[in-house]
Amino acid sequence: MADRYEPQTFEAKWQARWKAANLFETRQDPGRPKFYGLDFFPYPSGAGLSVGHCRNYIPTDVICRMKFMQGYNVLHPMGFDAFGLPAENEAIKNRTHPGPMIERYAENYRRQMELIGIGYDWSRSFRSSDPEYYQWTQWIFKVLLERGLAYQRMAAVNWDPVEKTVLADEEVIGGLGWRSGVPVEKRSIPQWFFKITDYAQRLIDDLDTVDWPEGIKQMQRNWIGRSEGVQFRMRVAMPHEEKSDEEFEIVERAPHFEVFTTRIDTVYGMTFCVLAPEHPSIETLEGFVDEAHRAEIRAYRENAKRLSDTDRQATTREKTGVFTGAYAINPANGERVPIWIADYVLMHYGTGAIMAVPAHDARDYEFAQKYGIPVQPVIGPAKGVSPETLPFESKDGFLVHSGEYSGLSVAEAQKELGQWFEACDLGTRKVQYKLRDWLISRQRYWGCPIPVIHSADGEIQPVPDEDLPVELPEVEHYEPSGDGSSPLAAIDEWVNITDQDGKLGRRETDTMGGFACSSWYFLRFCDPHNKRKGWDPAEVEYWMPVDCYVGGAEHAVMHLLYARFWTKVLYDAGLVPVQEPFQTLRNQGMVLAPTPFRAPREGETLGVGEEGIQITFEEAHSLPEDQVFHRYEKMSKSKGNVVTPDEIVEKYGADALRLYELFVAPFEQNVQWSNEAIHGQVRFLSRVFKLVDECRSAYDPLWRDAIDTGESSEAGKALRRLTHHTIRRATDDISGFAFNTYVAAMMEFLNGVRDVLKTTPASEIRAEASEMLETFVLLLAPAAPHSADELWDLLGMEGFTYQQDWPELDERWLARETVTIAVQVNGKLRDTLEMPTEADQATLERVALESERVRPHLEGKTLRKVIVVPGKLVNLVVG
RNA sequence: GCCCGGGUGGUGGAAUGGUAGACACAGCGGACUUAAAAUCCGCUGGCCGCAAGGCCGUGUGGGUUCGAGUCCCACCCUGGGCACCA
C-alpha cells in the first residue's frame, strides 16, 4: 500500500479502466434531472494544450463529476472547431493539407485531455470540418436564407492583405486584422451577410434572462449599441438668385436629407450640419452649388475614398471637412445653417448625416473651432444660466435660447420636442443600433461551402437538401488567390454545374467564416450522429439549454452573440425550444507565464504600450542578468513561454495539476504560473494517502448501521462535525465556482482529522472514522479523480467513485455546542469567550463585563451601550 | 474620453457589515539522517516589550455605523473592453 502520492503507479491505470467501462458515456435515465456542461469549442492548435487551456477544462469537469454523483444525467461533450483561418494558415505554413493536419492536432488535444483526466463523452465528438457536421451548417444557412436573413450585396469590406480575405467587423481590432495584426484595407466585392440587425433588440432584452457575468452582458449591450433619438428631415436652401445674399429659398428639387440625433433637446443650438463623404445626396447637391465649391467637394471626397479606415478613424487625427456652398433649414426655428462634408461623420451609422451642435458636442465643437463656425449654447447647468465652459455635454441641465422650450430640463425637452416633431410631421422618434449585419463570406478554401448556386440568369438558388452537403473538393492547392476570389473559383469542374432544371449554373465559391460552425455545435452534441436531421427535436428539448458554459472572456462579443442569434432564428423557425442557448456562463482567468524581455538597443524603438523587446529564453540566458527582465504574458507559441500539461503531469501527476489549477486563485482571475507552488498539492495528496493508509484497518464499510445507534465520544463527535461541515463547504463551493476554497476546505478537513486522530486513534472511533474516510475520498473525487479511485480501491471498495452517491449532508452536525464569542470595547477586540451556543443576551453581557481582559479597558469610563449579537460578539461602548 | 473589473503579509490568496490574514507557497528554527532529499513538529503582518500585553495595519483622503477589507463620496494606481456611433 502506498502511503504517499505516486501518480505514475495508478493514474494511467484508472484512465484505462474508465475508458474500458465507458464511464463517461452520456446517461439518460428517466426520472433523473439533466445537466449539460460545456466548454468553448476549441480550435486544436498544433502547439497542443497548455496549462492555460486546462484552466478551462478542469473546473467544468469538477462540476460535471459532482453533478453526476448527485444523480444528474450529465452531458459533457467535446469536439473541435476545425474549419477556419487558423487551421488553414497553419497548414499553409507547414506546407500540408488542413484536413489530415487538423485530425492529428485534434487527436493530440484528445490525448492531452485524457492525460489530465477530463471525463468527456468522446462517443459524441465531432469536428466542424466533418461533412456529416457541416451538412447541417449548410442546412441552417438555408434556414436563414429562406427567412430572409441571409443576403448577398456589394460591400466595402475589411480586407486583410496578409490573410488575403475579408474580415467581420468583430475581427478588426483597432483597424488591424485580429490574427495578422496588419491594417485592413477597404475593398468592394459581393459578400454574404446574415441579418443579425433584425435581432438587435431581442439580443439586448434576453440578456436579462441568463446568468452571465455582468461585464460580458454589458459588453454585448455596448456592442449592439442601442440609442434612442429623433430622425428628421433637413430641407436644402440656396441663396436667392435675384435677391441679396441674405435671402434664401427652399429648393424643392434639391436632395433634402435626414439626420439622426439623440440630443433633440439641443436642436436650437444647431449651427451647421454635416454629411458623410459617401453620402449619396452629395452628388445631386453638387449641381446646385458654384464651380469653386463643386471642385472642393470632389477633391475632398476623392481624398476620403483613398484613406483607410484606420487612418480615418485615428482618434488623434485633426478633423477635416469642406463647406458645400449649400445651406439647410433647421426645422425647429427656421434658421439656415451651412452644410459641410466631413469624414468624422460615418456613412454606416444613422443616416450618414448629422445636425451639428458645437456647444454641446465635443466633436462638433472641435470642428467649429477649426473652421470658425458659430457656437450657440442652448443648455445650461441651471435654469436661465448659460454654461461657463464649452462644450457643455452634461445631460444634467436646462434649456436656454430655445424658444418656448427654454427652462425645461434636458429630459423634459427631449420628450416634448420629440412629440412636437412628430406632431408637425417634421420627423420621427427612432431607435438606432451600432450593430451591423454579420459578414459571413470568406474567400478561402478551408471553410464550410455556402450551399448556393448562381444560375446563368443571375438567380440565386439554394442547393436542395438531398444534395447536401456541398463537399469541399479535394485539391492540391488551396492557398488564397489574393485577387479577392476564393481558390474554389479556380476549380472549374467543381464550380460549373447544371441545376435541377438542367440550366447551367455556378456554385457559390465563398465559404463561411468559422464563427458559423461554432454557432450551433452545442445543438449537435445533443444528437451527434443523426444522419437524417441536424438533431432530433426530442434530444434538443431534453438537453438544452446548456446549464454551464465555460470559456475565455475573449469571445464575449463574437461567438456568444452569433450563437445567440442562430438560436433565436432556429427558435423562430420552430426548430429549437429555447431562445437562449447558454443559461449560465462563466469565464475562467488566463494563466500567464514569465516571458523574457530586454531593453531596446540603439536604433530600436518600442511600439505603443511596449516596455521592452521580447526575446527567447535562450537569448535571455546568454545575456547578463541586469539586461533581462520578465513580464507575465498570456502563454503562446510565439512567445515561447508555453507550459504543457504533459511536462507537469510527468513531474507531478495529473491530480496535482488539477488541484493546483483549482486552488491557485479564484476561478475568474488571471494567475501567474509557477512550478514551485504545485509542490503544495503533491504534499497534500501524499498526506491524504498517508491518512487513508493509517486508518484503513479501522475502516468498516457497514459504518452506517453503527453510527446512529452508538453513542459518540467527544472525538467521534468532533470528527462528524468536521465531516459534515466539509460536505456543506465542498458542495456549496463547487456549485458557486469557488474551486479555490473547495480545495482549501479539503485541506482543512485533512488537517482537522489529523488533529483529532492525534488524541484518539481511529480504531476507537471506527464508525465515525469510516464515515470520514468515505466522505473524504468522495468529496475529493471531482478534483482528484485518479487518487480518489485509487484510495477507494485501497479501502476495499468496488467500482468507481464517479458511480457513488455524493455524500449526504446531515445538518444536525453543523450545529455547534459551544461558540466563540468576541468581546469588543469600542469595536476593538479585547477577549474571546467559549460559550454555550444557546447562551442568551443577558448572560453574554454579564460574562463579557466580568472578563479580566476587558475590565482594564472599562476603568474610569461610563458604559454607554452594549451591543450583543448572539453567537457572535459583545461590543461594550464606553465613553 | 466612455463602460466594466481589481488594489489585503515576502508571494498566491481567505473573510453573509461582527475575532483581518483561513488555506497554501516561500523563509526561519527543530526532529529524523553519516549527509542530503523526503517526511514530521514549531514560528512567521509591522512596531514597542524580558513577558503579560499594547499600538498600528486591507491603495489615499473623507463619511455612515456601536462596529467598515466589506456600504457611500472624492481621488490615485492597475487589468480588460469600446472608442469620431451623432
Side-chain angles (χ1 to χ4, degrees), chain A residues 480-545:
Chain A
S481 63
D483 64 359
S485 72
S486 162
L488 295 176
I491 309 169
D492 290 339
E493 61 276 23
W494 184 80
V495 172
N496 297 312
I497 61 153
T498 40
D499 68 14
Q500 289 168 295
D501 311 326
K503 289 188 291 183
L504 285 177
R506 280 177 63 82
R507 286 193 190 280
E508 172 61 59
T509 58
D510 285 356
T511 53
M512 290 184 235
F515 283 115
C517 304
S518 56
S519 289
W520 75 282
Y521 75 105
F522 44 90
L523 299 173
R524 187 66 178 174
F525 276 139
C526 301
D527 189 16
H529 306 305
N530 198 319
K531 289 196 161 42
R532 293 171 297 106
K533 299 173 182 174
W535 57 84
D536 181 338
E539 296 293 327
V540 161
E541 166 108 48
Y542 182 80
W543 289 112
M544 288 295 289

Side-chain angles (χ1 to χ4, degrees), chain A residues 622-695:
Chain A
S622 69
L623 288 171
E625 259 181 55
D626 59 336
Q627 288 185 23
V628 179
F629 61 95
H630 288 82
R631 280 180 57 96
Y632 279 90
E633 302 268 332
K634 187 177 177 178
M635 287 186 189
S636 78
K637 204 178 171 183
S638 62
K639 295 198 180 88
N641 60 359
V642 173
V643 179
T644 66
D646 308 62
E647 54 192 289
I648 301 302
V649 170
E650 162 96 36
K651 265 193 232 165
Y652 307 104
D655 283 344
L657 172 64
R658 292 172 64 109
L659 284 170
Y660 176 68
E661 296 220 8
L662 294 166
F663 179 72
V664 64
F667 168 76
E668 273 144 83
Q669 194 167 303
N670 290 349
V671 299
Q672 303 182 343
W673 181 262
S674 142
N675 270 350
E676 283 183 348
I678 200 168
H679 286 296
Q681 312 307 321
V682 173
R683 226 169 282 170
F684 166 65
L685 285 169
S686 282
R687 286 202 294 250
V688 173
F689 272 87
K690 194 170 179 186
L691 175 79
V692 173
D693 184 46
E694 285 167 3
C695 296

Side-chain angles (χ1 to χ4, degrees), chain A residues 82 87 91 96-105 127 129 445-446 478:
Chain A
T96 176
H97 191 280
M101 181 198 78
I102 215 73
E103 202 173 318
R104 284 201 312 279
Y105 290 176
R127 295 184 293 267
S129 56
Y445 171 74
W446 190 242
Y478 58 87

